[in-house]
Amino acid sequence: MTEPMVRAEGVCKNYGRLEVLRGIDLEVAHGEVVCVIGPSGSGKSTFLRCINHLEKVNAGKLYVDGELVGYRQRGGKLYELKESEVAHTRRSIGMVFQRFNLFPHMTSLENITEAPVGVLGKPKAAARKRGLELLEQVGLADKAGAYPNQLSGGQQQRVAIARALAMEPKLMLFDEPTSALDPELVGDVLGVMRDLAGQGMTMVVVTHEMGFAREVGDSVVFMDEGVVVEKGDPREVLANPQQERTKAFLSKVL
């Protein structure tokens, strides 16, 4: 496929006078796993949220699978889409946050089947069958009837991943999915993500897990102060960074 799954052209985002993104140019190919690293406040999570229009860009353009995100272009001008139109586009983009955001009054299986039934209009039986398959995929086949408060943080995050996958996304966004977890629970979540990558899922992962970036990522992007400082093969960038700012950052985290 010649058209990348994600294409960012000069993407800028500011909150008043605070410039968070200052001209991001980036492409993510179909089936590629891109790991985004960088210090806190560098704009990583904001860029991720712009991809599915949870944040509106102030300048530049973002495309997902060839379609402009959040806007329609007509006669050289951009017109913002209605929220219902944005929501329709967002269905095909799965997002997993730092916090799990599960519905506390619903079981694991109910959390997973709620959107496919309510949003996609899937028959309940089919959604349930798929939900059980996804729970097995993330290693939680025995937790279908468990409520979030009966699960560990790592288990809740794996349910959140299964919930995102239930919408059959073509792109998965992960915003530091292991940062809220105890260290011993990180491996199970990364294992699920590793399996997804092996299945060819296109993924953009904001992460502090350098081992995961090195092992699973097809490319790594280092961001700082709202710009892409360096991008390349993870093994090359992490072992032999070319930019001084990248070197300084990695010297503190590796």
Side-chain angles (χ1 to χ4, degrees):
M1 299 182 183
T2 54
E3 184 70 36
M5 178 62 82
V6 179
R7 185 168 85 249
E9 299 177 351
V11 170
C12 297
K13 174 65 182 177
N14 59 273
Y15 300 99
R17 293 183 178 179
L18 177 63
E19 291 183 296
V20 181
L21 301 177
R22 300 187 294 132
I24 301 290
D25 294 307
L26 187 67
E27 289 190 357
V28 180
H30 285 257
E32 186 179 11
V33 178
V34 174
C35 293
V36 185
I37 64 172
S40 296
S42 59
K44 308 182 303 294
S45 295
T46 299
F47 176 63
L48 209 65
R49 292 171 66 86
C50 286
I51 294 175
N52 64 359
H53 207 59
L54 287 175
E55 297 284 356
K56 300 175 184 178
V57 302
N58 294 106
K61 297 176 185 176
L62 264 167
Y63 298 85
V64 171
D65 207 14
E67 292 189 14
L68 193 59
V69 174
Y71 298 89
R72 180 182 294 107
Q73 189 164 348
R74 192 184 302 142
K77 288 188 176 182
L78 294 181
Y79 298 88
E80 189 167 358
L81 297 177
K82 298 176 183 175
E83 183 56 36
S84 59
E85 294 173 302
V86 173
H88 187 271
T89 304
R90 202 178 281 143
R91 292 180 191 177
S92 62
I93 305 173
M95 187 155 184
V96 178
F97 300 88
Q98 296 178 37
R99 294 291 172 181
F100 328 119
N101 299 329
L102 298 178
F103 295 116
H105 62 289
M106 292 183 178
T107 65
S108 298
L109 184 58
E110 288 168 345
N111 264 284
I112 294 168
T113 59
E114 174 74 7
V117 172
V119 178
L120 299 183
K122 280 195 171 186
K124 288 184 178 180
R128 176 182 170 81
K129 181 174 182 293
R130 179 59 178 150
L132 291 171
E133 291 171 355
L134 287 168
L135 280 170
E136 185 169 358
Q137 182 178 331
V138 300
L140 294 173
D142 60 336
K143 300 296 184 181
Y147 289 89
N149 65 2
Q150 298 171 316
L151 301 173
S152 70
Q155 289 171 332
Q156 289 185 62
Q157 191 62 296
R158 283 185 280 159
V159 171
I161 293 172
R163 178 179 61 180
L165 292 174
M167 294 296 283
E168 300 175 3
K170 54 190 174 185
L171 168 66
M172 285 287 287
L173 309 175
F174 292 88
D175 187 7
E176 299 187 23
T178 59
S179 64
L181 302 179
D182 292 332
E184 67 269 23
L185 302 177
V186 168
D188 290 337
V189 174
L190 293 180
V192 170
M193 295 169 64
R194 191 176 292 111
D195 290 344
L196 273 181
Q199 294 163 20
M201 175 64 74
T202 309
M203 298 160 57
V204 183
V205 185
V206 171
T207 184
H208 293 295
E209 301 289 341
M210 299 302 157
F212 176 85
R214 184 185 296 108
E215 178 190 347
V216 182
D218 296 301
S219 60
V220 66
V221 173
F222 173 65
M223 283 181 63
D224 189 34
E225 296 184 351
V227 299
V228 173
V229 176
E230 192 162 348
K231 179 179 187 283
D233 181 281
R235 287 152 290 280
E236 287 293 323
V237 173
L238 297 178
N240 187 31
Q242 300 302 301
Q243 302 298 321
E244 291 301 321
R245 183 65 189 92
T246 316
K247 291 178 184 177
F249 172 76
L250 291 175
S251 71
K252 296 176 181 176
V253 300
L254 290 179

